PDB file of all heavy atoms in Angstrom:
ATOM      1  N   GLN A  37       4.160   7.970   2.947  1.00  0.00           N
ATOM      2  CA  GLN A  37       3.555   7.745   4.230  1.00  0.00           C
ATOM      3  C   GLN A  37       4.156   8.573   5.312  1.00  0.00           C
ATOM      4  O   GLN A  37       5.308   8.327   5.727  1.00  0.00           O
ATOM      5  CB  GLN A  37       3.571   6.201   4.596  1.00  0.00           C
ATOM      6  CG  GLN A  37       2.729   5.957   5.862  1.00  0.00           C
ATOM      7  CD  GLN A  37       2.557   4.434   6.104  1.00  0.00           C
ATOM      8  OE1 GLN A  37       3.523   3.683   5.863  1.00  0.00           O
ATOM      9  NE2 GLN A  37       1.417   4.016   6.593  1.00  0.00           N
ATOM     10  N   VAL A  55       0.751   7.612 -15.683  1.00  0.00           N
ATOM     11  CA  VAL A  55      -0.675   7.670 -15.890  1.00  0.00           C
ATOM     12  C   VAL A  55      -1.415   8.383 -14.812  1.00  0.00           C
ATOM     13  O   VAL A  55      -2.581   8.637 -14.883  1.00  0.00           O
ATOM     14  CB  VAL A  55      -1.296   6.254 -16.175  1.00  0.00           C
ATOM     15  CG1 VAL A  55      -0.781   5.678 -17.439  1.00  0.00           C
ATOM     16  CG2 VAL A  55      -1.000   5.328 -14.960  1.00  0.00           C
ATOM     17  N   GLU A  96      -1.158  -5.435 -14.037  1.00  0.00           N
ATOM     18  CA  GLU A  96      -2.495  -4.942 -14.267  1.00  0.00           C
ATOM     19  C   GLU A  96      -3.451  -6.011 -14.800  1.00  0.00           C
ATOM     20  O   GLU A  96      -3.043  -6.881 -15.548  1.00  0.00           O
ATOM     21  CB  GLU A  96      -2.463  -3.740 -15.134  1.00  0.00           C
ATOM     22  CG  GLU A  96      -1.783  -2.535 -14.498  1.00  0.00           C
ATOM     23  CD  GLU A  96      -2.122  -1.228 -15.154  1.00  0.00           C
ATOM     24  OE1 GLU A  96      -2.635  -1.260 -16.296  1.00  0.00           O
ATOM     25  OE2 GLU A  96      -1.888  -0.203 -14.554  1.00  0.00           O
ATOM     26  N   GLY A  99      -7.280  -8.559 -10.085  1.00  0.00           N
ATOM     27  CA  GLY A  99      -7.230  -7.920  -8.763  1.00  0.00           C
ATOM     28  C   GLY A  99      -6.119  -6.943  -8.578  1.00  0.00           C
ATOM     29  O   GLY A  99      -6.077  -6.245  -7.545  1.00  0.00           O
ATOM     30  N   ASN A 100      -5.162  -6.909  -9.462  1.00  0.00           N
ATOM     31  CA  ASN A 100      -4.079  -5.903  -9.375  1.00  0.00           C
ATOM     32  C   ASN A 100      -3.454  -5.838  -8.028  1.00  0.00           C
ATOM     33  O   ASN A 100      -3.306  -4.817  -7.399  1.00  0.00           O
ATOM     34  CB  ASN A 100      -4.693  -4.483  -9.744  1.00  0.00           C
ATOM     35  CG  ASN A 100      -3.533  -3.500 -10.002  1.00  0.00           C
ATOM     36  OD1 ASN A 100      -2.717  -3.741 -10.786  1.00  0.00           O
ATOM     37  ND2 ASN A 100      -3.613  -2.362  -9.324  1.00  0.00           N
ATOM     38  N   GLN A 102      -0.790  -5.429  -5.395  1.00  0.00           N
ATOM     39  CA  GLN A 102       0.442  -4.657  -5.358  1.00  0.00           C
ATOM     40  C   GLN A 102       1.388  -5.256  -4.353  1.00  0.00           C
ATOM     41  O   GLN A 102       1.073  -5.596  -3.262  1.00  0.00           O
ATOM     42  CB  GLN A 102       0.138  -3.156  -5.018  1.00  0.00           C
ATOM     43  CG  GLN A 102      -0.681  -2.486  -6.098  1.00  0.00           C
ATOM     44  CD  GLN A 102      -0.886  -1.004  -5.818  1.00  0.00           C
ATOM     45  OE1 GLN A 102      -0.256  -0.404  -5.014  1.00  0.00           O
ATOM     46  NE2 GLN A 102      -1.852  -0.479  -6.538  1.00  0.00           N
ATOM     47  N   ARG A 109      13.253   5.687   4.237  1.00  0.00           N
ATOM     48  CA  ARG A 109      12.962   6.661   5.305  1.00  0.00           C
ATOM     49  C   ARG A 109      13.713   7.920   4.982  1.00  0.00           C
ATOM     50  O   ARG A 109      14.941   7.931   5.116  1.00  0.00           O
ATOM     51  CB  ARG A 109      13.332   6.124   6.657  1.00  0.00           C
ATOM     52  CG  ARG A 109      13.180   7.099   7.825  1.00  0.00           C
ATOM     53  CD  ARG A 109      11.764   7.461   8.132  1.00  0.00           C
ATOM     54  NE  ARG A 109      10.924   6.285   8.501  1.00  0.00           N
ATOM     55  CZ  ARG A 109       9.651   6.338   8.770  1.00  0.00           C
ATOM     56  NH1 ARG A 109       8.974   7.441   8.518  1.00  0.00           N
ATOM     57  NH2 ARG A 109       9.010   5.211   9.132  1.00  0.00           N
TER      58      ARG A 109
ATOM     59  N   TYR B  36      -4.322  -5.843   3.316  1.00  0.00           N
ATOM     60  CA  TYR B  36      -2.894  -5.766   3.492  1.00  0.00           C
ATOM     61  C   TYR B  36      -2.541  -5.653   5.001  1.00  0.00           C
ATOM     62  O   TYR B  36      -3.382  -5.131   5.780  1.00  0.00           O
ATOM     63  CB  TYR B  36      -2.271  -4.529   2.798  1.00  0.00           C
ATOM     64  CG  TYR B  36      -2.196  -4.660   1.294  1.00  0.00           C
ATOM     65  CD1 TYR B  36      -3.244  -4.351   0.458  1.00  0.00           C
ATOM     66  CD2 TYR B  36      -1.007  -5.075   0.702  1.00  0.00           C
ATOM     67  CE1 TYR B  36      -3.132  -4.455  -0.920  1.00  0.00           C
ATOM     68  CE2 TYR B  36      -0.900  -5.132  -0.704  1.00  0.00           C
ATOM     69  CZ  TYR B  36      -1.995  -4.888  -1.481  1.00  0.00           C
ATOM     70  OH  TYR B  36      -1.867  -4.965  -2.857  1.00  0.00           O
ATOM     71  N   GLN B  38       0.524  -4.169   7.590  1.00  0.00           N
ATOM     72  CA  GLN B  38       1.738  -3.326   7.619  1.00  0.00           C
ATOM     73  C   GLN B  38       2.300  -3.222   9.036  1.00  0.00           C
ATOM     74  O   GLN B  38       1.647  -2.896  10.013  1.00  0.00           O
ATOM     75  CB  GLN B  38       1.424  -1.932   7.152  1.00  0.00           C
ATOM     76  CG  GLN B  38       2.707  -1.047   6.968  1.00  0.00           C
ATOM     77  CD  GLN B  38       2.486   0.376   6.497  1.00  0.00           C
ATOM     78  OE1 GLN B  38       1.415   0.913   6.656  1.00  0.00           O
ATOM     79  NE2 GLN B  38       3.497   0.955   5.854  1.00  0.00           N
ATOM     80  N   SER B  41       7.382   1.050   9.840  1.00  0.00           N
ATOM     81  CA  SER B  41       8.547   1.328   8.990  1.00  0.00           C
ATOM     82  C   SER B  41       8.786   0.267   7.936  1.00  0.00           C
ATOM     83  O   SER B  41       9.916   0.049   7.484  1.00  0.00           O
ATOM     84  CB  SER B  41       9.814   1.500   9.889  1.00  0.00           C
ATOM     85  OG  SER B  41       9.696   2.590  10.673  1.00  0.00           O
ATOM     86  N   GLN B  49      -7.109 -11.704  -1.001  1.00  0.00           N
ATOM     87  CA  GLN B  49      -8.006 -10.981  -1.942  1.00  0.00           C
ATOM     88  C   GLN B  49      -9.174 -11.834  -2.298  1.00  0.00           C
ATOM     89  O   GLN B  49      -9.004 -13.023  -2.432  1.00  0.00           O
ATOM     90  CB  GLN B  49      -7.220 -10.529  -3.172  1.00  0.00           C
ATOM     91  CG  GLN B  49      -8.044  -9.704  -4.143  1.00  0.00           C
ATOM     92  CD  GLN B  49      -7.206  -9.368  -5.436  1.00  0.00           C
ATOM     93  OE1 GLN B  49      -7.017 -10.184  -6.274  1.00  0.00           O
ATOM     94  NE2 GLN B  49      -6.782  -8.079  -5.460  1.00  0.00           N
ATOM     95  N   THR B  98      -6.066   3.022 -15.185  1.00  0.00           N
ATOM     96  CA  THR B  98      -5.210   2.213 -14.359  1.00  0.00           C
ATOM     97  C   THR B  98      -5.857   1.883 -13.024  1.00  0.00           C
ATOM     98  O   THR B  98      -6.335   2.776 -12.360  1.00  0.00           O
ATOM     99  CB  THR B  98      -3.863   2.924 -14.096  1.00  0.00           C
ATOM    100  OG1 THR B  98      -3.275   3.252 -15.371  1.00  0.00           O
ATOM    101  CG2 THR B  98      -2.921   2.099 -13.266  1.00  0.00           C
ATOM    102  N   TYR B  99      -5.748   0.660 -12.622  1.00  0.00           N
ATOM    103  CA  TYR B  99      -6.376   0.164 -11.377  1.00  0.00           C
ATOM    104  C   TYR B  99      -5.479   0.644 -10.212  1.00  0.00           C
ATOM    105  O   TYR B  99      -4.287   0.417 -10.246  1.00  0.00           O
ATOM    106  CB  TYR B  99      -6.404  -1.361 -11.420  1.00  0.00           C
ATOM    107  CG  TYR B  99      -7.438  -2.024 -10.565  1.00  0.00           C
ATOM    108  CD1 TYR B  99      -8.727  -2.040 -10.954  1.00  0.00           C
ATOM    109  CD2 TYR B  99      -7.079  -2.591  -9.355  1.00  0.00           C
ATOM    110  CE1 TYR B  99      -9.696  -2.711 -10.192  1.00  0.00           C
ATOM    111  CE2 TYR B  99      -8.012  -3.225  -8.601  1.00  0.00           C
ATOM    112  CZ  TYR B  99      -9.323  -3.267  -8.995  1.00  0.00           C
ATOM    113  OH  TYR B  99     -10.294  -3.898  -8.241  1.00  0.00           O
ATOM    114  N   TYR B 101      -5.409   1.658  -5.713  1.00  0.00           N
ATOM    115  CA  TYR B 101      -6.028   1.572  -4.411  1.00  0.00           C
ATOM    116  C   TYR B 101      -5.922   2.890  -3.679  1.00  0.00           C
ATOM    117  O   TYR B 101      -5.006   3.638  -3.881  1.00  0.00           O
ATOM    118  CB  TYR B 101      -5.319   0.536  -3.551  1.00  0.00           C
ATOM    119  CG  TYR B 101      -5.374  -0.848  -4.039  1.00  0.00           C
ATOM    120  CD1 TYR B 101      -4.266  -1.633  -4.324  1.00  0.00           C
ATOM    121  CD2 TYR B 101      -6.665  -1.478  -4.255  1.00  0.00           C
ATOM    122  CE1 TYR B 101      -4.314  -2.913  -4.761  1.00  0.00           C
ATOM    123  CE2 TYR B 101      -6.723  -2.781  -4.702  1.00  0.00           C
ATOM    124  CZ  TYR B 101      -5.576  -3.520  -4.912  1.00  0.00           C
ATOM    125  OH  TYR B 101      -5.655  -4.798  -5.365  1.00  0.00           O
TER     126      TYR B 101
END
Side-chain angles (χ1 to χ4, degrees):
Chain A
Q37 187 171 34
V55 295
E96 290 199 345
N100 195 52
Q102 293 183 17
R109 173 67 64 185
Chain B
Y36 285 84
Q38 187 180 25
S41 297
Q49 183 181 75
T98 301
Y99 205 78
Y101 295 123

